[in-house]
Amino acid sequence: MKKLFAFLVVLGMFLTSANADDLLKTVQNRGVLKAGVKYDFPPFGFVNAKGQVVGFDIDLIKYIAKKLGVKPEFTQVTSKTRIAMVQSGTVDIAAASMTHKVKRDLPIDFTISYYFDGQSILARKDCKAKSYKDFSGKRVGVIQGATSGDNFKKVCPKVKLVYFQEYPQAIMALKRGKIDAVSTDYTWCATQAKNSHGQFKVIGKPFTFEPYGMGVRENESNFRDAVNFAIQDAVRDGTYQRLYKKWFGTEPNRLPEVWPK
Ligand code: GLU
């Protein structure tokens, strides 16, 4: 009897720990997908005039949550905090305009690439520069935790980088003439230029490759599979293309890969 009891206790521990170890099961038992998204990076994640958190990343998460049979819950992350927030389990997933870099893949895992961008430059309309080469000795605003600072230094070693915590602070500094440009992914730059009513413009052509992946907890292959399958379902059923058009105003120039069933 004692032995049977001990066996059941051990079995119970094994089963609960196996359960708790599987993020997909945890999320489904909880009924909620905790997603980290940007509040400052339109059109991927931002707060609209009505105070709602919206964007391409938000809509994709809503779709993924539905596929997992759970409700999405959004938490703000920044370029600087997103990886740590996935690592600590504060969020299950970060859909936050995040470039999938080999270096970033050490502490966490990534989904398949779901958007393809490249770094660009936003400047005031009177700026004479034609490309990143013209920013030697100039002050360029970049965001902490983003790929942009290191990327810019590589192509223009004499640039003076000015670091900001969040994107709106960089825009404000650009408006006030405290910096000569802001550099980050093209889609954000183009969105800012468009919304600025002629105040800002985009300089030159994108000069890096920034494939976006969603950050997920390390070694959770069931969860990562489920999210990857959901992203691919969105492409298969046309939701991805519809959301792309909704947020970027064009047809996708490249689709995420879709594995045959
Ligand atoms: N995609 C780039 C990065 O992951 C820049 C955009 C951002 O700050 O999220 O660093």
Side-chain angles (χ1 to χ4, degrees), residues 186-247:
Y186 171 80
T187 308
W188 179 88
C189 293
T191 305
Q192 296 302 328
K194 194 166 147 233
N195 294 345
S196 75
H197 306 289
Q199 202 181 354
F200 300 141
K201 64 179 180 186
V202 175
I203 306 276
K205 296 241 161 355
F207 55 91
T208 67
F209 179 49
E210 311 286 329
Y212 290 7
M214 297 183 193
V216 292
R217 199 184 306 159
E218 181 83 343
N219 297 330
E220 288 289 352
S221 65
N222 288 338
F223 180 72
R224 184 152 54 120
D225 276 349
V227 175
N228 280 337
F229 297 159
I231 294 171
Q232 298 188 344
D233 282 344
V235 179
R236 264 194 208 96
D237 71 15
T239 303
Y240 178 91
Q241 292 84 336
R242 184 174 56 75
L243 294 178
Y244 198 103
K245 193 104 200 236
K246 172 180 172 190
W247 292 108

Side-chain angles (χ1 to χ4, degrees), residues 38 40-41 44 57 78-80 82 96-101 104 110 117-119 143-149 151 167 183-185 188 210-212:
K38 290 283 190 71
D40 70 343
F41 204 74
F44 293 91
D57 283 338
T78 65
S79 300
K80 197 177 171 187
R82 59 195 164 189
S97 65
M98 180 155 55
T99 302
H100 185 182
K101 290 188 72 173
R104 286 179 174 167
F110 281 81
D117 214 334
Q119 189 168 333
I143 302 313
Q144 289 177 13
T147 49
S148 334
N151 286 346
Y167 283 94
S183 187
T184 186
D185 297 336
W188 179 88
E210 311 286 329
Y212 290 7

Side-chain angles (χ1 to χ4, degrees), residues 150-166:
D150 290 350
N151 286 346
F152 212 104
K153 223 43 252 167
K154 236 177 242 163
V155 296
C156 184
K158 293 221 172 94
V159 69
K160 288 188 183 134
L161 295 176
V162 182
Y163 280 88
F164 296 90
Q165 292 260 337
E166 288 183 43

